[in-house]
């Protein structure tokens, strides 16, 4: 590589301590036994140990482990996916119950090969989790489903507690960063959710370090607010492999703090902003008051009912 092409050295604030304790190892073993995929592992999330071991949250990746798109920032493998696994929703739900999760996030690879983009399996996964663990709040993070709003209705009929869809980057960089995705289509999807379910919080995320300007970041905030998005997360892009887009800039924690302040002043109900923040980071804190109260009510009943009592300690 020439001097201009050299990779920027990763700063100290992005170095995390690995904490593969007993709880984490048991959860990882459970995922393999149930033949489940998690975006926590596939996307190499730096917060996996905190979420799995301490916060009792996890992000399940359904519809297989092969994506039909090839976004230049993402570590999930691309290719021709397998047939749908209709046993997957129950396996996810069983794992949520065994883990004793208080909040689960369900995402998926993009399945452009399916007419509904996988919405039916998505919806059944949400329902299965509710049956197995009524006290667990549920966030869904689907693809844009190619803008098919009938599929969106199918998905929203399952009544998730949070709807999350990421714009990932600013408008100018979308074509470079996201395969087959469209900036405005993502915004319209988020807005349509509010039309279908006005009380459901909507959420989106962007990565920094791909060459965007501060003005473009602020414009992305305005675009999300104009489409009635309630929650925003902002994190640092980290290059998964040398085949992916390289990092143009590492933002300092102070810059993330400033962006959080701007977002909240502009009107977002909640904003997580930091170098290691990912889309589902501290997601359990972002549910609506109604969903949180339902979770608290169930857990109180759960703890006092000896017939339901199960040891979720790992």
């Amino acid at each position: 590589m020439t001097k201009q092409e050299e990779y920027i050295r990763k700063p100290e604030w992005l170095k995390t301590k690995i904490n593969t304790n007993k709880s984490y190892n048991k959860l990882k073993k459970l995922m393999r036994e149930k033949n489940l995929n998690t975006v926590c592992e596939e996307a190499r999330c730096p917060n996996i140990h905190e979420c799995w071991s301490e916060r009792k949250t996890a992000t399940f990746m359904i519809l297989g482990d092969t994506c039909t798109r090839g976004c230049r920032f993402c570590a999930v493998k691309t290719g021709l996916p397998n047939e749908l696994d209709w046993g997957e929703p129950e396996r996810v739900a069983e794992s949520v119950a065994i883990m004793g999760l208080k909040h689960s996030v369900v995402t998926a690879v993009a399945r452009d090969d399916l007419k509904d983009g996988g919405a039916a399996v998505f919806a059944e996964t949400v329902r299965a989790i509710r049956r197995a663990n009524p006290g667990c709040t549920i966030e869904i993070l689907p693809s844009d489903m190619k803008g098919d709003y009938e599929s969106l209705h199918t998905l929203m009929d399952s009544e998730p507690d949070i709807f999350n869809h990421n714009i990932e980057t600013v408008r100018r960089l979308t074509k470079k960063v996201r395969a087959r995705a469209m900036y405005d289509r993502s915004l319209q999807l988020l807005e349509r959710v509010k039309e279908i379910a006005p009380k459901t919080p909507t959420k989106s995320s962007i990565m920094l370090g791909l060459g965007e300007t501060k003005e473009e970041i602020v414009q992305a905030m305005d675009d999300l607010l104009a489409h009635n998005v309630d929650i925003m997360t902002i994190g640092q892009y980290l290059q998964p492999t040398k085949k992916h887009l390289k990092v143009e800039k590492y933002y300092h924690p102070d810059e993330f703090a400033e962006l959080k302040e701007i977002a909240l002043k502009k009107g977002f109900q909640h904003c997580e902003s930091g170098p290691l923040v990912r889309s589902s980071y501290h997601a359990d804190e972002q549910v609506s008051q109604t969903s949180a109260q339902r979770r608290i009510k169930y857990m109180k009943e759960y703890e006092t009912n000896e017939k339901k009592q199960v040891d979720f300690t790992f």
Side-chain angles (χ1 to χ4, degrees), residues 57-97:
T57 65
T59 302
F60 297 89
M61 189 174 74
I62 62 171
L63 302 175
D65 63 354
T66 305
C67 185
T68 54
R69 302 183 185 182
C71 296
R72 297 183 66 198
F73 68 90
C74 183
V76 176
K77 69 179 179 180
T78 304
L80 295 175
N82 296 322
E83 293 184 6
L84 288 180
D85 179 2
W86 284 96
E88 192 172 44
E90 290 297 335
R91 295 200 307 276
V92 170
E94 185 180 353
S95 297
V96 168

Side-chain angles (χ1 to χ4, degrees), residues 83-282:
E83 293 184 6
L84 288 180
D85 179 2
W86 284 96
E88 192 172 44
E90 290 297 335
R91 295 200 307 276
V92 170
E94 185 180 353
S95 297
V96 168
I98 292 173
M99 293 166 71
L101 297 183
K102 66 177 183 177
H103 186 80
S104 59
V105 182
V106 181
T107 189
V109 292
R111 291 295 301 264
D112 293 331
D113 58 313
L114 302 173
K115 184 178 180 181
D116 71 346
V121 177
F122 234 118
E124 181 53 35
T125 303
V126 174
R127 295 187 182 99
I129 293 172
R130 284 254 164 77
R131 290 193 296 268
N133 188 352
C136 181
T137 48
I138 305 167
E139 176 177 330
I140 57 173
L141 175 52
S143 73
D144 58 25
M145 297 174 287
K146 296 182 290 186
D148 182 2
Y149 294 120
E150 184 178 340
S151 298
L152 182 60
H153 274 278
T154 298
L155 193 49
M156 294 308 297
D157 283 346
S158 65
E159 299 183 347
D161 295 288
I162 295 179
F163 181 91
N164 185 354
H165 176 72
N166 296 332
I167 58 172
E168 305 291 7
T169 188
V170 299
R171 181 186 294 275
R172 176 176 59 87
L173 297 175
T174 295
K175 189 174 182 180
K176 175 183 177 182
V177 174
R178 303 173 69 197
R180 302 186 194 175
M182 302 176 191
Y183 188 82
D184 287 311
R185 186 164 70 185
S186 288
L187 292 173
Q188 290 162 8
L189 185 81
L190 288 158
E191 186 172 54
R192 187 61 65 93
V193 168
K194 278 296 186 183
E195 294 172 4
I196 298 171
K199 294 184 180 179
T200 300
T202 51
K203 173 180 174 183
S204 194
S205 176
I206 62 171
M207 306 170 290
L208 303 186
L210 291 162
E212 65 290 317
T213 67
K214 183 177 179 181
E215 290 74 21
E216 288 176 316
I217 298 169
V218 173
Q219 182 59 56
M221 293 180 184
D222 290 337
D223 292 340
L224 290 171
L225 287 170
H227 289 79
N228 301 318
V229 174
D230 305 298
I231 302 163
M232 185 178 190
T233 59
I234 309 169
Q236 172 70 53
Y237 166 67
L238 300 176
Q239 185 182 31
T241 73
K242 290 183 179 180
K243 295 180 180 180
H244 292 82
L245 291 169
K246 66 186 181 73
V247 177
E248 299 289 341
K249 173 185 175 180
Y250 287 112
Y251 284 71
H252 190 274
D254 290 346
E255 293 178 279
F256 280 104
E258 181 188 4
L259 290 171
K260 178 175 182 176
E261 185 178 354
I262 292 171
L264 293 175
K265 283 183 177 179
K266 280 183 171 291
F268 285 99
Q269 293 178 14
H270 191 104
C271 179
E272 290 285 345
S273 179
L276 297 178
V277 166
R278 295 298 178 263
S279 183
S280 57
Y281 188 64
H282 289 191

Side-chain angles (χ1 to χ4, degrees), residues 279-297:
S279 183
S280 57
Y281 188 64
H282 289 191
D284 55 304
E285 299 175 356
Q286 299 161 17
V287 295
S288 67
Q289 187 174 3
T290 301
S291 296
Q293 288 300 316
R294 174 172 56 78
R295 180 171 66 194
I296 293 169
K297 180 177 182 294

